[in-house]
Amino acid sequence: DTGVSQNPRHKITKRGQNVTFRCDPISEHNRLYWYRQTLGQGPEFLTYFQNEAQLEKSRLLSDRFSAERPKGSFSTLEIQRTEQGDSAMYLCASSPYASVLTGEQFFGPGTRLTVL
Amino acid sequence: QKEVEQDPGPLSVPEGAIVSLNCTYSNSAFQYFMWYRQYSRKGPELLMYTYSSGNKEDGRFTAQVDKSSKYISLFIRDSQPSDSATYLCASGGRSGGGADGLTFGKGTHLIIQP
């Protein structure tokens, strides 16, 4: 399968714990995006990387959230001191340089986080 | 007011009908527009994209963008039960390029009755 992959697919944690999610983009896609989706809502943009550089952060990305993309390949999203309001589907998307005019982004299956 | 508005439905139509899904947006800077299909508990799947105003057709799907009225549409011909899903419209390009995070509508839940 050459699509975007995300791990784990499901994560259940207790309030106050830290969690980390991983995203592997489509090979040779230089842009990588993180979104959050809650029930009944569309995905909301969190942050994006071009290669290893984090170029934009949404105001939704509080200081408890941190994202990295070392070496411009896979990315991790960490949430520290989780709160019940963090329960959501965390989606990763990637896009190739060729989409610089068209903006196409290809999504992974998501990681569903439940904070108890 | 959200930047992209979409009626959440549900929209229920009989098999074989033509389906019309719509969104409006408020940010004139948006340059490109996309439709994604999302099945329950899955990631969004890109269906169609258009750049600026105009129509684009792909099989049973036609996407239309009218920038003068800030209106985005998706038409599905000969609808099938397998088309039952949530359809998300998305807009991007505020900064003048294709690298922006997308702004999504809430999604319309579509049900095709056999």
Side-chain angles (χ1 to χ4, degrees):
Chain A
D1 187 347
T2 57
V4 177
S5 62
Q6 293 187 245
N7 287 288
R9 295 292 307 279
H10 305 274
K11 179 71 178 178
I12 299 173
T13 191
K14 292 183 179 179
R15 184 166 51 94
Q17 297 295 306
N18 298 344
V19 294
T20 300
F21 311 139
R22 176 177 169 129
C23 171
D24 287 90
I26 294 171
S27 179
E28 298 181 356
H29 279 197
N30 66 336
R31 293 197 186 89
L32 187 148
Y33 302 78
W34 285 100
Y35 292 82
R36 182 179 70 184
Q37 185 177 24
T38 53
L39 196 62
Q41 303 295 319
E44 295 174 295
F45 169 71
L46 293 177
T47 187
Y48 99 88
F49 293 83
Q50 179 160 304
N51 299 312
E52 65 274 12
Q54 188 172 16
L55 297 186
E56 187 179 354
K57 296 181 190 180
S58 155
R59 58 179 172 75
L60 294 176
L61 207 70
S62 77
D63 55 7
R64 296 185 297 105
F65 287 69
S66 63
E68 294 182 343
R69 193 184 182 195
K71 302 179 183 178
S73 55
F74 70 92
S75 176
T76 57
L77 178 68
E78 181 183 17
I79 308 174
Q80 296 182 324
R81 305 180 303 281
T82 53
E83 301 173 356
Q84 288 184 325
D86 297 331
S87 295
M89 174 85 92
Y90 289 85
L91 293 161
C92 176
S94 70
S95 67
Y97 180 77
S99 73
V100 68
L101 290 180
T102 57
E104 300 149 277
Q105 297 179 20
F106 300 90
F107 282 81
T111 294
R112 182 168 296 279
L113 173 66
T114 302
V115 182
L116 301 175
Chain B
Q1 180 193 12
K2 292 196 69 171
E3 285 191 293
V4 178
E5 298 277 1
Q6 186 175 10
D7 186 338
L11 175 63
S12 183
V13 301
E15 182 177 357
I18 296 174
V19 175
S20 173
L21 302 167
N22 308 292
C23 287
T24 59
Y25 65 94
S26 58
N27 192 332
S28 300
F30 285 141
Q31 296 185 40
Y32 51 87
F33 308 90
M34 271 162 271
W35 285 95
Y36 285 84
R37 177 174 63 195
Q38 187 173 30
Y39 293 110
S40 181
R41 296 182 176 270
K42 303 290 185 185
E45 172 194 0
L46 180 63
L47 279 178
M48 302 282 287
Y49 75 89
T50 51
Y51 183 74
S52 194
S53 284
N55 293 359
K56 186 170 183 178
E57 187 173 324
D58 184 2
R60 296 186 296 114
F61 299 91
T62 300
Q64 285 185 353
V65 175
D66 183 344
K67 293 192 75 177
S68 64
S69 60
K70 298 187 179 65
Y71 203 77
I72 311 163
S73 300
L74 178 71
F75 299 96
I76 307 174
R77 292 181 297 281
D78 187 26
S79 55
Q80 305 294 313
S82 58
D83 294 328
S84 298
T86 296
Y87 289 79
L88 297 155
C89 61
S91 302
R94 279 171 295 188
S95 63
D100 290 24
L102 297 174
T103 302
F104 282 84
K106 281 188 173 185
T108 298
H109 183 45
L110 174 65
I111 301 167
I112 307 298
Q113 302 167 329

